[in-house]
Amino acid sequence: MESNAVLNSAIIGSLSGIETIKSLTGEATTKKIDTLFSDLLHKNLAYQKADQGQQAIKAATKLILTIVILWWGTFFVMQHQLSLGQLLTYNALLAYFLKQLQGESEGKDGKGIFPATGNFSTDFHSFGQYIQDGRRNLFETLFRVTEPVTDVVIPEMDSDDGLGYLQGEKMSYVNRTASEGPLLAHVDGGVPNMIIKVDKQNEFALGQAIYFFEVAVVISGYLNGINPFDQPGVEAYKRNMFGLLGKPGHEDITYQLQQRL
């Protein structure tokens, strides 16, 4: 701010006394303005670097804490302090974790991959329809477990429900086929597909998947020319929310925000 004020003062002074400058020290004054402007640019650059460094440290600390918590949870499973049912629930949250990871890390500067999850076959008649025939601005990643924790054989029953051809088959086979059929249809519809396979549904595979996606998002962010370790959009709406709620320290924007609503 001080450098900016000094630069403005020098420019105004030079313009006010332009006749004197022409006859006396025009070149020296111009050189002074150039020096002040260069100094201002360097200070602004240093400020931006410091701010980016602080944001990176903050985000990295948050990421490290998240990883520690996740691995600590898997440790409890391995020590039999968490049940298999709790682990499966933990695993079911992977999709929600990915949406947060991808959206917050890459959604900046008008760039980034928009993350959305579908639970098939439940979402075949909703989200699956959009994937098949909607706007062609997406790709699909299928997450598959090759060895299920449990399996059920479809029993033989005397019923006319039209599903007799499935008798004796395992549910794992039905589930895999129910994913392969739509996958082929989506590819035919122009949607690129990627399949990520894990051997088992356990704590090790979950940790592998989380680490894989975290590294992938970092690489993708840098390839996109963005910083994957900050969250400027999140900070913007948090500041607005705190201002509207009247949180101490945000009084300067409360009135302005209220007038916009």
Side-chain angles (χ1 to χ4, degrees):
M1 294 297 292
E2 181 180 353
S3 298
N4 192 26
V6 172
L7 175 62
N8 289 337
S9 177
I11 293 175
I12 293 172
S14 65
L15 292 176
S16 299
I18 193 164
E19 294 300 328
T20 304
I21 292 174
K22 288 180 179 179
S23 59
L24 297 176
T25 59
E27 184 177 352
T29 304
T30 303
K31 185 176 181 180
K32 177 182 177 183
I33 293 175
D34 288 342
T35 301
L36 291 173
F37 184 66
S38 177
D39 180 62
L40 175 64
L41 290 179
H42 279 90
K43 288 184 178 180
N44 283 340
L45 179 61
Y47 171 79
Q48 291 296 331
K49 287 183 177 180
D51 183 64
Q52 289 292 329
Q54 291 177 354
Q55 292 293 337
I57 293 172
K58 176 183 175 182
T61 302
K62 179 180 177 181
L63 181 61
I64 291 172
L65 289 175
T66 301
I67 294 174
V68 169
I69 292 172
L70 291 173
W71 279 105
W72 194 248
T74 60
F75 171 79
F76 282 131
V77 174
M78 296 172 67
Q79 297 297 316
H80 304 290
Q81 298 184 34
L82 288 177
S83 67
L84 181 59
Q86 290 171 316
L87 172 61
L88 297 181
T89 302
Y90 188 64
N91 194 24
L93 296 175
L94 179 61
Y96 297 98
F97 164 78
L98 291 178
K99 285 196 289 188
Q100 184 273 335
L101 174 69
Q102 194 83 43
E104 187 177 46
S105 300
E106 286 202 358
K108 300 155 194 169
D109 301 334
K111 304 176 183 178
I113 299 172
F114 178 78
T117 56
N119 183 17
F120 298 148
S121 61
T122 303
D123 292 327
F124 276 151
H125 294 279
S126 55
F127 193 54
Q129 171 62 43
Y130 184 88
I131 295 174
Q132 182 67 37
D133 291 329
R135 187 185 295 271
R136 304 294 81 181
N137 63 344
L138 57 104
F139 69 90
E140 186 175 17
T141 302
L142 181 65
F143 195 82
R144 177 181 294 168
V145 180
T146 56
E147 299 179 21
V149 177
T150 59
D151 213 341
V152 176
V153 177
I154 300 174
E156 295 184 7
M157 300 181 65
D158 186 14
S159 62
D160 188 20
D161 57 6
L163 297 175
Y165 65 96
L166 294 176
Q167 294 179 6
E169 299 287 359
K170 293 182 178 180
M171 281 302 302
S172 59
Y173 165 76
V174 176
N175 285 334
R176 187 176 69 254
T177 305
S179 68
E180 290 172 343
L183 182 146
L184 294 173
H186 292 167
V187 171
D188 291 340
V191 178
N193 260 265
M194 176 174 64
I195 301 177
I196 297 178
K197 297 180 180 179
V198 295
D199 293 333
K200 297 180 180 180
Q201 190 168 328
N202 58 21
E203 63 276 8
F204 182 79
L206 176 62
Q208 270 190 321
I210 290 174
Y211 185 73
F212 166 79
F213 283 113
E214 287 177 335
V215 174
V217 165
V218 170
I219 295 174
S220 176
Y222 284 131
L223 288 175
N224 250 332
I226 58 176
N227 179 9
F229 294 107
D230 64 358
Q231 50 177 26
V234 173
E235 296 302 324
Y237 69 68
K238 282 168 58 178
R239 176 173 168 79
N240 287 351
M241 182 179 66
F242 290 148
L244 291 171
L245 289 173
K247 181 178 180 179
H250 296 75
E251 297 86 353
D252 57 323
I253 63 171
T254 299
Y255 177 76
Q256 299 174 9
L257 294 173
Q258 289 175 341
Q259 293 301 305
R260 294 175 56 190
L261 297 175

